[in-house]
């Protein structure tokens, strides 16, 4: 494989993993909203469906985040030019997701730890943190879908409308959490 | 700004060998001048050694492009009344290019990127001398037509923050030109052109922020052209090319 072809396919892989990840995280957020984090961790039944689903989501996050970080490193000389909102939220998620996944797995394995974690999660301060995380995920996801629309559908004239829609929905998601809708 | 008022124009002056220094000029407004009118008035009345470039003065050549209030524009097509703030106007040379003198930059690196990206047309070799039939309504020709009117003023490259930060990046104008050639059925270098611009540092370096499209004085859409090239390069890679 030529270096150019590898470069192009890695770029495509990052975009496709992001698209699938957006769907997976939408399902995850809906699950958290509908049954709650505690019920998710203590989900009864011995089926393999949900574990496989979350393994897939984590795998996609590894591919998407890994290739994203690789791109950031390659373009580190860009400085401010690379610090778009999409990349800033991506960096924040790359820092958050490993902690979130590790704590979640620990909670599934150890119910005693889960009780402590959900006590902390009930603190008012933690609601603000949840709002920030939801805003990050929704903002990064919608921003990514916007880029996919621009690049895949050649829809660059819709740039501003897409950006405003993404920003508006992100704000709505961020406000919905402390407002108690979550 | 209206006729009779005096505007303060700050011009970043300096040559290739000197650090640029902002210099203020106070200019009386007459009529509804363009930015180029003001620069010309300054050169005629206050600074005969002021370096700047223009040719047609009517938005056809693109040679008078410079930074106006921090945004690249054609000065001949920019009314002072639309861009001046609180009686002030800031002018600077286009960024990312060597300054020849004051507001005039050396455009050679800009056009070298066009050449390096494969911006030259190479016709298909035809033994029977039959002219290519190009249907105007064909998708490829419509794509080419939408991007073909670029006159190489450099405004999009000056607006692009990636082009300013990544020396090897061809920039929106060069990639826009390649997009027209990729869509030209008479061109013999289509697949090779994609390979030349699709590697590391090439068209995938574009962040799709759209500053090129927002600033293009011709109303072209280089951001769409680059997106089209990305899609064409992905399809080529999936086919096993290059």
């Amino acid at each position: 494989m030529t270096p150019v072809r590898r470069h192009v396919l890695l770029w495509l892989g990052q975009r496709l993993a992001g698209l699938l990840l957006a769907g997976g995280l939408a399902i995850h957020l809906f699950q958290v909203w509908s049954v709650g984090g505690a019920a998710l961790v203590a989900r009864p039944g011995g089926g393999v469906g949900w574990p496989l689903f979350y393994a897939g989501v984590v795998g996609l996050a590894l591919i998407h985040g890994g290739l994203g970080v690789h791109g950031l490193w390659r373009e580190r000389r860009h400085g401010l030019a690379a610090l778009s909102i999409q990349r800033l939220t991506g960096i924040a998620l790359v820092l958050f997701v490993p902690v979130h996944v590790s704590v979640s797995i620990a909670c599934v394995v150890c119910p005693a730890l889960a009780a402590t974690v959900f006590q902390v999660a009930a603190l008012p301060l933690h609601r603000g943190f949840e709002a920030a995380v939801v805003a990050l995920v929704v903002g990064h996801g919608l921003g990514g879908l916007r880029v996919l629309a621009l690049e895949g559908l050649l829809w660059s004239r819709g740039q501003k409308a897409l950006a405003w829609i993404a920003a508006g929905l992100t704000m709505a998601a961020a406000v919905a959490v402390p407002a108690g809708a979550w | 700004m209206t006729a009779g008022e005096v505007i303060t124009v700050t011009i970043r002056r300096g040559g290739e060998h000197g650090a640029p220094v902002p210099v203020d000029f106070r200019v009386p407004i007459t009529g509804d001048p363009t930015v180029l009118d003001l620069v010309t008035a300054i050169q005629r009345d206050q600074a005969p050694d002021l370096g700047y470039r223009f040719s047609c003065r009517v938005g056809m050549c693109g040679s008078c492009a410079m930074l106006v209030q921090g945004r690249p524009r054609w000065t001949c097509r920019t009314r002072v009344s639309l861009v001046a703030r609180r009686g002030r106007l800031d002018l600077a040379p286009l960024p990312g290019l060597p300054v020849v003198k004051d507001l005039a930059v050396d455009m050679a690196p800009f056009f070298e990127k066009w050449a390096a990206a494969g911006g030259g047309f190479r016709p298909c070799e035809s033994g029977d001398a039959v002219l290519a039939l190009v249907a105007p309504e064909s998708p490829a020709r419509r794509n080419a037509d939408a991007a073909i009117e670029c006159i190489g003023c450099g405004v999009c490259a000056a607006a692009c923050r990636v082009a300013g930060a990544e020396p090897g990046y061809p920039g929106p104008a060069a990639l826009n030109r390649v997009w027209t050639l990729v869509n030209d059925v008479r061109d013999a270098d289509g697949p090779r052109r994609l390979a030349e611009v699709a590697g590391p540092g090439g068209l995938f370096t574009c962040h799709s922020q759209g500053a090129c499209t927002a600033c293009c004085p011709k109303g072209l859409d280089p951001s769409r052209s680059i997106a089209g090239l990305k899609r064409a390069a992905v399809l080529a890679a999936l086919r096993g090319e290059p």
Side-chain angles (χ1 to χ4, degrees), chain A residues 46-59:
Chain A
V48 296
W50 284 110
L52 274 180
F53 168 77
Y54 279 109
V57 168
V58 170

Side-chain angles (χ1 to χ4, degrees), chain A residues 93-118:
Chain A
L93 286 171
V94 162
L95 297 174
F96 166 75
V97 168
V99 177
H100 179 63
V101 171
S102 304
V103 171
S104 299
I105 292 174
C107 286
V108 170
V109 173
C110 176
L113 177 66
T116 309
V117 167
F118 284 106

Side-chain angles (χ1 to χ4, degrees), chain A residues 1 7 11 40 61 65 95 136 167 169 174:
Chain A
M1 185 182 292
H7 183 69
W11 179 87
L40 270 186
L95 297 174
L136 279 178
L169 290 176

Side-chain angles (χ1 to χ4, degrees), chain A residues 2-5 7-9 11-12 15 74-75 77-85 87 146-147 150-157 159, chain B residues 161-162 165-167 195 198-200 204-210 213 219-221 223-224 227-228 230-231 233-234 237-238 240-242:
Chain A
T2 65
V4 171
R5 186 158 180 252
H7 183 69
V8 175
L9 292 180
W11 179 87
L12 178 64
R15 294 299 201 260
R74 193 180 56 239
E75 297 171 4
R77 287 175 301 163
H78 292 194
L80 287 175
L83 291 179
S84 62
I85 293 174
R87 295 195 160 196
R146 169 189 148 270
V147 171
L150 294 175
E151 294 176 339
L153 306 176
L154 307 191
W155 196 22
S156 66
R157 291 293 184 194
Q159 163 99 278
Chain B
R161 297 173 73 183
V162 176
E166 176 69 61
F204 290 100
T205 311
C206 168
H207 294 183
S208 298
Q209 292 181 338
T213 297
L220 303 183
D221 194 350
S223 190
R224 182 183 184 278
K230 286 179 180 175
R231 203 163 68 169
V234 164
L238 291 175
E241 310 162 6

Side-chain angles (χ1 to χ4, degrees), chain B residues 53-131:
Chain B
R53 181 185 291 127
F54 73 95
S55 183
C56 73
R57 298 176 298 161
V58 289
M60 292 180 69
C61 71
S63 61
C64 65
M66 56 185 82
L67 276 191
V68 180
Q69 306 286 53
R71 179 187 171 116
R73 293 175 181 274
W74 288 350
T75 52
C76 72
R77 303 290 288 174
T78 304
R79 296 279 177 196
V80 174
S81 55
L82 295 178
V83 293
R85 293 286 177 271
R86 298 192 187 102
R88 297 194 68 91
L89 191 66
D90 290 327
L91 303 178
L94 288 181
L97 293 166
V99 176
V100 177
K101 187 183 180 190
D102 301 331
L103 297 169
V105 295
D106 181 3
M107 296 293 287
F110 173 76
F111 290 110
E112 284 165 4
K113 285 192 173 184
W114 280 46
F121 174 72
R122 194 168 75 82
C124 295
E125 291 178 14
S126 173
D128 51 10
V130 175
L131 292 176

